[in-house]
Amino acid sequence: MNPKQTIILQVNGESLDCPENSILPQVLEQIGLNPRLVAVEYNGEILHRQYWQSTKMQAGDRLEIVTIVGGG
């Protein structure tokens, strides 16, 4: 049985280990964020939600994640 390979991402300036071939929503859930309540910059570009399911993480990818806060 092969141990699962991991890769290292940069998330908001911090290193994060995640399973190889993870897609963006899996990474968000891994760090305890609700994917419906965040905006994501992927390698310097805002990543539209329609692409999240098809975006596989690669070693060295950079994510900047902002939590959406409601209120008034």
Side-chain angles (χ1 to χ4, degrees), residues 6-42:
T6 60
I7 59 174
I8 298 175
L9 309 174
Q10 290 294 313
V11 179
N12 293 349
E14 303 282 327
S15 294
L16 174 73
D17 292 338
C18 75
E20 191 173 49
N21 296 319
S22 292
I23 58 174
L24 180 57
Q26 292 170 326
V27 173
L28 296 174
E29 289 173 10
Q30 176 184 336
I31 57 178
L33 295 174
N34 181 338
R36 295 173 49 182
L37 300 176
V38 298
V40 177
E41 184 181 277
Y42 176 70

Side-chain angles (χ1 to χ4, degrees), residues 49-60:
R49 202 170 294 272
Q50 69 192 43
Y51 301 114
W52 288 13
Q53 289 293 333
S54 61
T55 302
K56 280 190 183 175
M57 299 295 102
Q58 304 291 322

